[in-house]
Amino acid sequence: MATRSQRKQLAVAAILALMAALLAACGGSSSAKPTLNWYINPDTGGQDAVAKKCSTDQYTIATQVLPTDATQQRIQLARRLAASDSSIDLMSIDPPYTAEFANAGYLAPIADRFAAKLKSQSFKSAIAAATWKGKLVVAPFWSNTQVLWYRKSFVDKAGIDMSKPVTWDQLIKVASQNGGTVAVQANRYEGYVVWINALVSGAGGSLVQDAAKGVDAKITINSPAGEDAAKVIEELAGSSAKPADLSVSTEGTASTTFGSSKGAFMVNWTFIWHNYDETDPAVAKDIGYAMYPETVAGEQARPPYGGIGIGVSSFSNHIDLATKAMECITSPDNQGINAELTGNMPASAAGYDYPPLKKLYPPDLLALFQKSLQVAAPRSVTPYWGDISSAILSTWHSPTSVNDQTPQESATFIEQVLKGDALL
């Protein structure tokens, strides 16, 4: 049996042990390194690599993968943000939805110092797509553009000079006369609106003006530029250069058409350069590239703009740390790392200086990508883009139905949808 002195010593030891445990627990909660959750679009490992590189002694960045479809990405993020979900710290946001998230108050402000740095380093089109009501609301991370890809063997046979600007009309006629196809994206999805926007912009027009006025924005798709765009789609849809799957064509199916025996021309994103390296090396060696086709001869083509901007959630419990992480993620070197692993090109000219990119792409192709980004046409920056895009798809799809009345019909329908006089 323990003596009175021994019992006292045991009691003291127990109290000390309990205090030590409590102190350890308290210390653990206050000093634990937070994890920043970065919701990303699916890719081939670029954002994971950047997350690992940008994790520090202060925080760890963990990635959460969103659905492949951009519309579904928007829905998943919007649902969480509408519920003030604090588990989102960083987001990879598709440009069409930037204004919607900013207008709803879902994005933490970007400090003037960092905004100035981003404006200095980023392409003009990237800044335009990241700005809402005069403020930069997301940090441009990667910027994509489309170029005209062609089969060198086909243009040699057809005798068309690809060193000079070409028009859609030329491509469709040459492909039709020589048994080739012109591959595009015309499924009932966002990619089709991307093409329509590029065609309208290439004719000097726009889909929307005064987007900041919301539902009172001016719908401008019913214009000579809209008619020029409709003419291109109608011409392709009625020609023998039309791919068999035109009305359901996507980036992936277009690449399949281009790689087939009838492949001639295709507009598509930058990933195409390495798309056939392993699956069809003969096609890979046969790829040529040029500036996006002109809608109107002699007028500057306006290639599509795509990409990702990084936003910090205003509901995050770690806004300061997430902002530091955003600065790291969007640095030119990390834009380069992402481009090396995914083919999604940097949002800044400095990002193109990342040495591995110069081994992966020919110098003139890197120059073409950057030139395209300088003149690219972002889609209208408006919080109502989802409604506008869906209304366009309702009136311009299928491409075989497009005619000279389509711009007027779509303008009327868009205005009705925005005013609440029609349902999508």
Side-chain angles (χ1 to χ4, degrees), residues 123 145-150 162 268 270 288-292 300 303 345 352 361-376:
F123 292 112
T145 187
Q146 291 194 0
V147 299
L148 172 62
W149 304 99
Y150 61 86
M162 298 303 294
N268 215 327
T270 55
Y289 40 81
M291 178 60 87
Y292 199 79
Q300 174 66 59
M345 304 309 287
Y352 275 81
Y361 299 90
D364 60 340
L365 183 55
L366 290 176
L368 176 62
F369 289 160
Q370 294 179 78
K371 183 179 179 182
S372 295
L373 284 168
Q374 295 291 357
V375 297

PDB file of all heavy atoms in Angstrom, residues 123 145-150 162 268 270 288-292 300 303 345 352 361-376:
ATOM      1  N   PHE A 123      -1.058  39.419 -70.349  1.00  0.00           N
ATOM      2  CA  PHE A 123      -1.533  39.812 -71.671  1.00  0.00           C
ATOM      3  C   PHE A 123      -2.786  40.681 -71.527  1.00  0.00           C
ATOM      4  O   PHE A 123      -3.583  40.521 -70.594  1.00  0.00           O
ATOM      5  CB  PHE A 123      -1.845  38.581 -72.519  1.00  0.00           C
ATOM      6  CG  PHE A 123      -0.631  37.781 -72.889  1.00  0.00           C
ATOM      7  CD1 PHE A 123      -0.427  36.518 -72.369  1.00  0.00           C
ATOM      8  CD2 PHE A 123       0.322  38.303 -73.752  1.00  0.00           C
ATOM      9  CE1 PHE A 123       0.701  35.777 -72.696  1.00  0.00           C
ATOM     10  CE2 PHE A 123       1.455  37.572 -74.100  1.00  0.00           C
ATOM     11  CZ  PHE A 123       1.650  36.310 -73.560  1.00  0.00           C
ATOM     12  N   THR A 145      -5.499  30.259 -76.295  1.00  0.00           N
ATOM     13  CA  THR A 145      -6.050  30.852 -77.499  1.00  0.00           C
ATOM     14  C   THR A 145      -6.129  29.775 -78.565  1.00  0.00           C
ATOM     15  O   THR A 145      -5.520  28.711 -78.434  1.00  0.00           O
ATOM     16  CB  THR A 145      -5.178  32.027 -77.978  1.00  0.00           C
ATOM     17  OG1 THR A 145      -5.819  32.682 -79.064  1.00  0.00           O
ATOM     18  CG2 THR A 145      -3.803  31.536 -78.431  1.00  0.00           C
ATOM     19  N   GLN A 146      -6.889  30.038 -79.586  1.00  0.00           N
ATOM     20  CA  GLN A 146      -6.971  29.101 -80.695  1.00  0.00           C
ATOM     21  C   GLN A 146      -6.189  29.642 -81.882  1.00  0.00           C
ATOM     22  O   GLN A 146      -6.142  30.856 -82.106  1.00  0.00           O
ATOM     23  CB  GLN A 146      -8.426  28.873 -81.112  1.00  0.00           C
ATOM     24  CG  GLN A 146      -9.243  28.107 -80.085  1.00  0.00           C
ATOM     25  CD  GLN A 146     -10.557  27.595 -80.650  1.00  0.00           C
ATOM     26  OE1 GLN A 146     -10.889  27.795 -81.810  1.00  0.00           O
ATOM     27  NE2 GLN A 146     -11.324  26.906 -79.812  1.00  0.00           N
ATOM     28  N   VAL A 147      -5.598  28.720 -82.617  1.00  0.00           N
ATOM     29  CA  VAL A 147      -4.952  29.066 -83.874  1.00  0.00           C
ATOM     30  C   VAL A 147      -5.537  28.165 -84.960  1.00  0.00           C
ATOM     31  O   VAL A 147      -6.320  27.253 -84.680  1.00  0.00           O
ATOM     32  CB  VAL A 147      -3.410  28.884 -83.809  1.00  0.00           C
ATOM     33  CG1 VAL A 147      -2.822  29.786 -82.743  1.00  0.00           C
ATOM     34  CG2 VAL A 147      -3.027  27.436 -83.571  1.00  0.00           C
ATOM     35  N   LEU A 148      -5.167  28.430 -86.188  1.00  0.00           N
ATOM     36  CA  LEU A 148      -5.591  27.583 -87.310  1.00  0.00           C
ATOM     37  C   LEU A 148      -4.547  26.495 -87.498  1.00  0.00           C
ATOM     38  O   LEU A 148      -3.377  26.776 -87.782  1.00  0.00           O
ATOM     39  CB  LEU A 148      -5.715  28.424 -88.580  1.00  0.00           C
ATOM     40  CG  LEU A 148      -5.963  27.641 -89.878  1.00  0.00           C
ATOM     41  CD1 LEU A 148      -7.284  26.866 -89.812  1.00  0.00           C
ATOM     42  CD2 LEU A 148      -5.954  28.585 -91.083  1.00  0.00           C
ATOM     43  N   TRP A 149      -4.959  25.259 -87.287  1.00  0.00           N
ATOM     44  CA  TRP A 149      -4.083  24.109 -87.535  1.00  0.00           C
ATOM     45  C   TRP A 149      -4.414  23.553 -88.919  1.00  0.00           C
ATOM     46  O   TRP A 149      -5.585  23.507 -89.306  1.00  0.00           O
ATOM     47  CB  TRP A 149      -4.319  23.026 -86.472  1.00  0.00           C
ATOM     48  CG  TRP A 149      -4.153  23.490 -85.058  1.00  0.00           C
ATOM     49  CD1 TRP A 149      -5.150  23.848 -84.200  1.00  0.00           C
ATOM     50  CD2 TRP A 149      -2.925  23.659 -84.346  1.00  0.00           C
ATOM     51  NE1 TRP A 149      -4.617  24.234 -82.984  1.00  0.00           N
ATOM     52  CE2 TRP A 149      -3.257  24.127 -83.052  1.00  0.00           C
ATOM     53  CE3 TRP A 149      -1.585  23.476 -84.655  1.00  0.00           C
ATOM     54  CZ2 TRP A 149      -2.298  24.399 -82.074  1.00  0.00           C
ATOM     55  CZ3 TRP A 149      -0.624  23.743 -83.683  1.00  0.00           C
ATOM     56  CH2 TRP A 149      -0.985  24.189 -82.423  1.00  0.00           C
ATOM     57  N   TYR A 150      -3.399  23.158 -89.641  1.00  0.00           N
ATOM     58  CA  TYR A 150      -3.665  22.585 -90.968  1.00  0.00           C
ATOM     59  C   TYR A 150      -2.721  21.413 -91.219  1.00  0.00           C
ATOM     60  O   TYR A 150      -1.650  21.303 -90.622  1.00  0.00           O
ATOM     61  CB  TYR A 150      -3.541  23.643 -92.065  1.00  0.00           C
ATOM     62  CG  TYR A 150      -2.174  24.292 -92.207  1.00  0.00           C
ATOM     63  CD1 TYR A 150      -1.165  23.721 -92.978  1.00  0.00           C
ATOM     64  CD2 TYR A 150      -1.895  25.500 -91.563  1.00  0.00           C
ATOM     65  CE1 TYR A 150       0.078  24.315 -93.095  1.00  0.00           C
ATOM     66  CE2 TYR A 150      -0.660  26.107 -91.682  1.00  0.00           C
ATOM     67  CZ  TYR A 150       0.333  25.511 -92.446  1.00  0.00           C
ATOM     68  OH  TYR A 150       1.577  26.104 -92.558  1.00  0.00           O
ATOM     69  N   MET A 162      -0.280  29.405 -97.050  1.00  0.00           N
ATOM     70  CA  MET A 162      -0.626  29.619 -95.648  1.00  0.00           C
ATOM     71  C   MET A 162       0.279  30.646 -94.965  1.00  0.00           C
ATOM     72  O   MET A 162       0.162  30.862 -93.759  1.00  0.00           O
ATOM     73  CB  MET A 162      -0.554  28.292 -94.893  1.00  0.00           C
ATOM     74  CG  MET A 162      -1.528  27.236 -95.400  1.00  0.00           C
ATOM     75  SD  MET A 162      -3.271  27.790 -95.366  1.00  0.00           S
ATOM     76  CE  MET A 162      -3.545  27.944 -93.623  1.00  0.00           C
ATOM     77  N   ASN A 268      -8.551  25.174 -83.040  1.00  0.00           N
ATOM     78  CA  ASN A 268      -8.548  24.489 -81.741  1.00  0.00           C
ATOM     79  C   ASN A 268      -7.477  25.112 -80.853  1.00  0.00           C
ATOM     80  O   ASN A 268      -6.684  25.946 -81.315  1.00  0.00           O
ATOM     81  CB  ASN A 268      -8.297  22.985 -81.925  1.00  0.00           C
ATOM     82  CG  ASN A 268      -9.068  22.140 -80.905  1.00  0.00           C
ATOM     83  OD1 ASN A 268      -9.276  22.582 -79.769  1.00  0.00           O
ATOM     84  ND2 ASN A 268      -9.470  20.963 -81.314  1.00  0.00           N
ATOM     85  N   THR A 270      -4.277  25.261 -77.881  1.00  0.00           N
ATOM     86  CA  THR A 270      -2.836  25.018 -77.993  1.00  0.00           C
ATOM     87  C   THR A 270      -2.419  23.562 -77.738  1.00  0.00           C
ATOM     88  O   THR A 270      -1.324  23.168 -78.137  1.00  0.00           O
ATOM     89  CB  THR A 270      -2.084  25.927 -77.006  1.00  0.00           C
ATOM     90  OG1 THR A 270      -2.610  25.713 -75.685  1.00  0.00           O
ATOM     91  CG2 THR A 270      -2.279  27.401 -77.359  1.00  0.00           C
ATOM     92  N   GLY A 288       0.697  21.851 -89.498  1.00  0.00           N
ATOM     93  CA  GLY A 288       1.149  23.222 -89.677  1.00  0.00           C
ATOM     94  C   GLY A 288       0.248  24.148 -88.884  1.00  0.00           C
ATOM     95  O   GLY A 288      -0.804  23.729 -88.373  1.00  0.00           O
ATOM     96  N   TYR A 289       0.626  25.406 -88.754  1.00  0.00           N
ATOM     97  CA  TYR A 289      -0.167  26.338 -87.945  1.00  0.00           C
ATOM     98  C   TYR A 289      -0.074  27.738 -88.514  1.00  0.00           C
ATOM     99  O   TYR A 289       0.894  28.112 -89.175  1.00  0.00           O
ATOM    100  CB  TYR A 289       0.322  26.331 -86.487  1.00  0.00           C
ATOM    101  CG  TYR A 289       1.815  26.255 -86.329  1.00  0.00           C
ATOM    102  CD1 TYR A 289       2.621  27.381 -86.441  1.00  0.00           C
ATOM    103  CD2 TYR A 289       2.428  25.019 -86.099  1.00  0.00           C
ATOM    104  CE1 TYR A 289       3.994  27.302 -86.312  1.00  0.00           C
ATOM    105  CE2 TYR A 289       3.806  24.927 -85.979  1.00  0.00           C
ATOM    106  CZ  TYR A 289       4.589  26.066 -86.075  1.00  0.00           C
ATOM    107  OH  TYR A 289       5.958  25.979 -85.959  1.00  0.00           O
ATOM    108  N   ALA A 290      -1.147  28.490 -88.265  1.00  0.00           N
ATOM    109  CA  ALA A 290      -1.233  29.871 -88.759  1.00  0.00           C
ATOM    110  C   ALA A 290      -2.193  30.639 -87.871  1.00  0.00           C
ATOM    111  O   ALA A 290      -2.904  30.063 -87.037  1.00  0.00           O
ATOM    112  CB  ALA A 290      -1.721  29.888 -90.209  1.00  0.00           C
ATOM    113  N   MET A 291      -2.244  31.944 -88.080  1.00  0.00           N
ATOM    114  CA  MET A 291      -3.182  32.787 -87.343  1.00  0.00           C
ATOM    115  C   MET A 291      -4.618  32.367 -87.624  1.00  0.00           C
ATOM    116  O   MET A 291      -4.929  31.883 -88.712  1.00  0.00           O
ATOM    117  CB  MET A 291      -2.956  34.253 -87.725  1.00  0.00           C
ATOM    118  CG  MET A 291      -3.904  35.242 -87.065  1.00  0.00           C
ATOM    119  SD  MET A 291      -3.820  35.233 -85.262  1.00  0.00           S
ATOM    120  CE  MET A 291      -2.489  36.414 -84.977  1.00  0.00           C
ATOM    121  N   TYR A 292      -5.475  32.530 -86.651  1.00  0.00           N
ATOM    122  CA  TYR A 292      -6.913  32.219 -86.752  1.00  0.00           C
ATOM    123  C   TYR A 292      -7.498  32.855 -88.027  1.00  0.00           C
ATOM    124  O   TYR A 292      -7.108  33.968 -88.416  1.00  0.00           O
ATOM    125  CB  TYR A 292      -7.607  32.785 -85.518  1.00  0.00           C
ATOM    126  CG  TYR A 292      -8.959  32.218 -85.215  1.00  0.00           C
ATOM    127  CD1 TYR A 292      -9.093  30.981 -84.598  1.00  0.00           C
ATOM    128  CD2 TYR A 292     -10.119  32.922 -85.523  1.00  0.00           C
ATOM    129  CE1 TYR A 292     -10.343  30.468 -84.290  1.00  0.00           C
ATOM    130  CE2 TYR A 292     -11.376  32.418 -85.224  1.00  0.00           C
ATOM    131  CZ  TYR A 292     -11.477  31.188 -84.604  1.00  0.00           C
ATOM    132  OH  TYR A 292     -12.722  30.677 -84.312  1.00  0.00           O
ATOM    133  N   GLN A 300      -8.649  42.280 -89.018  1.00  0.00           N
ATOM    134  CA  GLN A 300      -7.899  41.496 -88.044  1.00  0.00           C
ATOM    135  C   GLN A 300      -8.763  40.379 -87.446  1.00  0.00           C
ATOM    136  O   GLN A 300      -9.855  40.624 -86.929  1.00  0.00           O
ATOM    137  CB  GLN A 300      -7.404  42.396 -86.913  1.00  0.00           C
ATOM    138  CG  GLN A 300      -6.731  41.669 -85.763  1.00  0.00           C
ATOM    139  CD  GLN A 300      -5.418  41.016 -86.166  1.00  0.00           C
ATOM    140  OE1 GLN A 300      -4.497  41.677 -86.611  1.00  0.00           O
ATOM    141  NE2 GLN A 300      -5.351  39.697 -86.022  1.00  0.00           N
ATOM    142  N   PRO A 303      -9.022  35.779 -82.428  1.00  0.00           N
ATOM    143  CA  PRO A 303      -9.110  34.395 -81.953  1.00  0.00           C
ATOM    144  C   PRO A 303      -9.814  34.305 -80.601  1.00  0.00           C
ATOM    145  O   PRO A 303      -9.843  35.277 -79.840  1.00  0.00           O
ATOM    146  CB  PRO A 303      -7.635  33.986 -81.818  1.00  0.00           C
ATOM    147  CG  PRO A 303      -6.861  34.978 -82.615  1.00  0.00           C
ATOM    148  CD  PRO A 303      -7.640  36.247 -82.569  1.00  0.00           C
ATOM    149  N   MET A 345      -1.197  27.466 -71.775  1.00  0.00           N
ATOM    150  CA  MET A 345      -0.069  28.393 -71.871  1.00  0.00           C
ATOM    151  C   MET A 345      -0.170  29.542 -70.867  1.00  0.00           C
ATOM    152  O   MET A 345      -1.239  29.887 -70.386  1.00  0.00           O
ATOM    153  CB  MET A 345       0.036  28.928 -73.301  1.00  0.00           C
ATOM    154  CG  MET A 345       0.158  27.831 -74.355  1.00  0.00           C
ATOM    155  SD  MET A 345       1.481  26.620 -73.998  1.00  0.00           S
ATOM    156  CE  MET A 345       2.929  27.607 -74.364  1.00  0.00           C
ATOM    157  N   TYR A 352       6.331  32.680 -70.782  1.00  0.00           N
ATOM    158  CA  TYR A 352       6.840  32.001 -71.978  1.00  0.00           C
ATOM    159  C   TYR A 352       8.361  31.867 -71.959  1.00  0.00           C
ATOM    160  O   TYR A 352       8.929  31.141 -72.770  1.00  0.00           O
ATOM    161  CB  TYR A 352       6.401  32.760 -73.232  1.00  0.00           C
ATOM    162  CG  TYR A 352       5.014  32.393 -73.721  1.00  0.00           C
ATOM    163  CD1 TYR A 352       3.886  32.952 -73.140  1.00  0.00           C
ATOM    164  CD2 TYR A 352       4.830  31.475 -74.750  1.00  0.00           C
ATOM    165  CE1 TYR A 352       2.614  32.624 -73.576  1.00  0.00           C
ATOM    166  CE2 TYR A 352       3.568  31.143 -75.197  1.00  0.00           C
ATOM    167  CZ  TYR A 352       2.456  31.718 -74.609  1.00  0.00           C
ATOM    168  OH  TYR A 352       1.201  31.369 -75.054  1.00  0.00           O
ATOM    169  N   TYR A 361       8.109  23.522 -77.743  1.00  0.00           N
ATOM    170  CA  TYR A 361       7.396  24.179 -78.846  1.00  0.00           C
ATOM    171  C   TYR A 361       8.391  24.912 -79.748  1.00  0.00           C
ATOM    172  O   TYR A 361       9.344  25.525 -79.250  1.00  0.00           O
ATOM    173  CB  TYR A 361       6.375  25.189 -78.303  1.00  0.00           C
ATOM    174  CG  TYR A 361       5.304  24.577 -77.430  1.00  0.00           C
ATOM    175  CD1 TYR A 361       5.491  24.466 -76.060  1.00  0.00           C
ATOM    176  CD2 TYR A 361       4.115  24.104 -77.986  1.00  0.00           C
ATOM    177  CE1 TYR A 361       4.505  23.903 -75.243  1.00  0.00           C
ATOM    178  CE2 TYR A 361       3.138  23.535 -77.193  1.00  0.00           C
ATOM    179  CZ  TYR A 361       3.336  23.442 -75.821  1.00  0.00           C
ATOM    180  OH  TYR A 361       2.369  22.870 -75.033  1.00  0.00           O
ATOM    181  N   PRO A 362       8.138  24.931 -81.053  1.00  0.00           N
ATOM    182  CA  PRO A 362       8.993  25.720 -81.958  1.00  0.00           C
ATOM    183  C   PRO A 362       8.877  27.212 -81.622  1.00  0.00           C
ATOM    184  O   PRO A 362       7.799  27.670 -81.223  1.00  0.00           O
ATOM    185  CB  PRO A 362       8.403  25.434 -83.348  1.00  0.00           C
ATOM    186  CG  PRO A 362       7.541  24.230 -83.178  1.00  0.00           C
ATOM    187  CD  PRO A 362       7.079  24.214 -81.760  1.00  0.00           C
ATOM    188  N   PRO A 363       9.949  27.972 -81.824  1.00  0.00           N
ATOM    189  CA  PRO A 363       9.905  29.406 -81.495  1.00  0.00           C
ATOM    190  C   PRO A 363       8.788  30.160 -82.211  1.00  0.00           C
ATOM    191  O   PRO A 363       8.134  31.024 -81.618  1.00  0.00           O
ATOM    192  CB  PRO A 363      11.280  29.905 -81.957  1.00  0.00           C
ATOM    193  CG  PRO A 363      12.155  28.707 -81.937  1.00  0.00           C
ATOM    194  CD  PRO A 363      11.282  27.545 -82.283  1.00  0.00           C
ATOM    195  N   ASP A 364       8.546  29.815 -83.500  1.00  0.00           N
ATOM    196  CA  ASP A 364       7.500  30.556 -84.218  1.00  0.00           C
ATOM    197  C   ASP A 364       6.100  30.206 -83.725  1.00  0.00           C
ATOM    198  O   ASP A 364       5.170  31.024 -83.831  1.00  0.00           O
ATOM    199  CB  ASP A 364       7.626  30.359 -85.732  1.00  0.00           C
ATOM    200  CG  ASP A 364       7.493  28.907 -86.147  1.00  0.00           C
ATOM    201  OD1 ASP A 364       7.688  28.013 -85.298  1.00  0.00           O
ATOM    202  OD2 ASP A 364       7.204  28.650 -87.329  1.00  0.00           O
ATOM    203  N   LEU A 365       5.923  29.000 -83.176  1.00  0.00           N
ATOM    204  CA  LEU A 365       4.616  28.641 -82.615  1.00  0.00           C
ATOM    205  C   LEU A 365       4.397  29.377 -81.287  1.00  0.00           C
ATOM    206  O   LEU A 365       3.299  29.881 -81.021  1.00  0.00           O
ATOM    207  CB  LEU A 365       4.505  27.131 -82.411  1.00  0.00           C
ATOM    208  CG  LEU A 365       3.160  26.626 -81.888  1.00  0.00           C
ATOM    209  CD1 LEU A 365       1.997  27.084 -82.773  1.00  0.00           C
ATOM    210  CD2 LEU A 365       3.161  25.092 -81.774  1.00  0.00           C
ATOM    211  N   LEU A 366       5.431  29.457 -80.458  1.00  0.00           N
ATOM    212  CA  LEU A 366       5.313  30.237 -79.217  1.00  0.00           C
ATOM    213  C   LEU A 366       5.009  31.703 -79.538  1.00  0.00           C
ATOM    214  O   LEU A 366       4.206  32.347 -78.858  1.00  0.00           O
ATOM    215  CB  LEU A 366       6.600  30.136 -78.402  1.00  0.00           C
ATOM    216  CG  LEU A 366       6.880  28.765 -77.752  1.00  0.00           C
ATOM    217  CD1 LEU A 366       8.237  28.780 -77.064  1.00  0.00           C
ATOM    218  CD2 LEU A 366       5.787  28.397 -76.762  1.00  0.00           C
ATOM    219  N   ALA A 367       5.644  32.211 -80.589  1.00  0.00           N
ATOM    220  CA  ALA A 367       5.380  33.604 -80.992  1.00  0.00           C
ATOM    221  C   ALA A 367       3.941  33.756 -81.488  1.00  0.00           C
ATOM    222  O   ALA A 367       3.276  34.766 -81.206  1.00  0.00           O
ATOM    223  CB  ALA A 367       6.365  34.028 -82.079  1.00  0.00           C
ATOM    224  N   LEU A 368       3.443  32.744 -82.228  1.00  0.00           N
ATOM    225  CA  LEU A 368       2.061  32.803 -82.727  1.00  0.00           C
ATOM    226  C   LEU A 368       1.063  32.790 -81.581  1.00  0.00           C
ATOM    227  O   LEU A 368       0.078  33.541 -81.593  1.00  0.00           O
ATOM    228  CB  LEU A 368       1.802  31.618 -83.669  1.00  0.00           C
ATOM    229  CG  LEU A 368       0.370  31.488 -84.208  1.00  0.00           C
ATOM    230  CD1 LEU A 368      -0.016  32.695 -85.044  1.00  0.00           C
ATOM    231  CD2 LEU A 368       0.226  30.195 -85.021  1.00  0.00           C
ATOM    232  N   PHE A 369       1.295  31.936 -80.580  1.00  0.00           N
ATOM    233  CA  PHE A 369       0.396  31.900 -79.419  1.00  0.00           C
ATOM    234  C   PHE A 369       0.309  33.286 -78.773  1.00  0.00           C
ATOM    235  O   PHE A 369      -0.774  33.775 -78.450  1.00  0.00           O
ATOM    236  CB  PHE A 369       0.896  30.905 -78.375  1.00  0.00           C
ATOM    237  CG  PHE A 369       0.756  29.449 -78.761  1.00  0.00           C
ATOM    238  CD1 PHE A 369       1.518  28.475 -78.139  1.00  0.00           C
ATOM    239  CD2 PHE A 369      -0.140  29.054 -79.745  1.00  0.00           C
ATOM    240  CE1 PHE A 369       1.383  27.132 -78.479  1.00  0.00           C
ATOM    241  CE2 PHE A 369      -0.277  27.717 -80.101  1.00  0.00           C
ATOM    242  CZ  PHE A 369       0.494  26.754 -79.465  1.00  0.00           C
ATOM    243  N   GLN A 370       1.469  33.915 -78.595  1.00  0.00           N
ATOM    244  CA  GLN A 370       1.481  35.221 -77.919  1.00  0.00           C
ATOM    245  C   GLN A 370       0.835  36.302 -78.788  1.00  0.00           C
ATOM    246  O   GLN A 370       0.114  37.172 -78.284  1.00  0.00           O
ATOM    247  CB  GLN A 370       2.918  35.605 -77.549  1.00  0.00           C
ATOM    248  CG  GLN A 370       3.512  34.666 -76.495  1.00  0.00           C
ATOM    249  CD  GLN A 370       4.943  35.013 -76.146  1.00  0.00           C
ATOM    250  OE1 GLN A 370       5.195  35.949 -75.398  1.00  0.00           O
ATOM    251  NE2 GLN A 370       5.885  34.250 -76.687  1.00  0.00           N
ATOM    252  N   LYS A 371       1.088  36.234 -80.082  1.00  0.00           N
ATOM    253  CA  LYS A 371       0.455  37.203 -80.990  1.00  0.00           C
ATOM    254  C   LYS A 371      -1.068  37.034 -80.963  1.00  0.00           C
ATOM    255  O   LYS A 371      -1.815  38.017 -80.965  1.00  0.00           O
ATOM    256  CB  LYS A 371       0.989  36.994 -82.414  1.00  0.00           C
ATOM    257  CG  LYS A 371       0.455  37.995 -83.427  1.00  0.00           C
ATOM    258  CD  LYS A 371       1.056  37.743 -84.814  1.00  0.00           C
ATOM    259  CE  LYS A 371       0.494  38.724 -85.838  1.00  0.00           C
ATOM    260  NZ  LYS A 371       1.032  38.447 -87.196  1.00  0.00           N
ATOM    261  N   SER A 372      -1.518  35.786 -80.919  1.00  0.00           N
ATOM    262  CA  SER A 372      -2.959  35.519 -80.870  1.00  0.00           C
ATOM    263  C   SER A 372      -3.569  36.074 -79.586  1.00  0.00           C
ATOM    264  O   SER A 372      -4.676  36.627 -79.601  1.00  0.00           O
ATOM    265  CB  SER A 372      -3.217  34.015 -80.963  1.00  0.00           C
ATOM    266  OG  SER A 372      -2.806  33.506 -82.212  1.00  0.00           O
ATOM    267  N   LEU A 373      -2.847  35.918 -78.476  1.00  0.00           N
ATOM    268  CA  LEU A 373      -3.366  36.420 -77.204  1.00  0.00           C
ATOM    269  C   LEU A 373      -3.456  37.947 -77.190  1.00  0.00           C
ATOM    270  O   LEU A 373      -4.294  38.521 -76.493  1.00  0.00           O
ATOM    271  CB  LEU A 373      -2.480  35.931 -76.049  1.00  0.00           C
ATOM    272  CG  LEU A 373      -2.688  34.459 -75.686  1.00  0.00           C
ATOM    273  CD1 LEU A 373      -1.581  33.975 -74.760  1.00  0.00           C
ATOM    274  CD2 LEU A 373      -4.053  34.254 -75.026  1.00  0.00           C
ATOM    275  N   GLN A 374      -2.575  38.585 -77.939  1.00  0.00           N
ATOM    276  CA  GLN A 374      -2.615  40.050 -77.973  1.00  0.00           C
ATOM    277  C   GLN A 374      -3.875  40.566 -78.655  1.00  0.00           C
ATOM    278  O   GLN A 374      -4.341  41.668 -78.373  1.00  0.00           O
ATOM    279  CB  GLN A 374      -1.373  40.598 -78.697  1.00  0.00           C
ATOM    280  CG  GLN A 374      -0.048  40.325 -77.977  1.00  0.00           C
ATOM    281  CD  GLN A 374       0.105  41.098 -76.673  1.00  0.00           C
ATOM    282  OE1 GLN A 374      -0.745  41.897 -76.305  1.00  0.00           O
ATOM    283  NE2 GLN A 374       1.195  40.855 -75.957  1.00  0.00           N
ATOM    284  N   VAL A 375      -4.441  39.783 -79.575  1.00  0.00           N
ATOM    285  CA  VAL A 375      -5.622  40.246 -80.326  1.00  0.00           C
ATOM    286  C   VAL A 375      -6.869  39.406 -80.016  1.00  0.00           C
ATOM    287  O   VAL A 375      -7.916  39.598 -80.631  1.00  0.00           O
ATOM    288  CB  VAL A 375      -5.350  40.232 -81.848  1.00  0.00           C
ATOM    289  CG1 VAL A 375      -4.240  41.199 -82.201  1.00  0.00           C
ATOM    290  CG2 VAL A 375      -5.005  38.829 -82.343  1.00  0.00           C
ATOM    291  N   ALA A 376      -6.734  38.482 -79.078  1.00  0.00           N
ATOM    292  CA  ALA A 376      -7.854  37.574 -78.777  1.00  0.00           C
ATOM    293  C   ALA A 376      -9.058  38.346 -78.253  1.00  0.00           C
ATOM    294  O   ALA A 376      -8.933  39.441 -77.690  1.00  0.00           O
ATOM    295  CB  ALA A 376      -7.416  36.536 -77.752  1.00  0.00           C
TER     296      ALA A 376
END
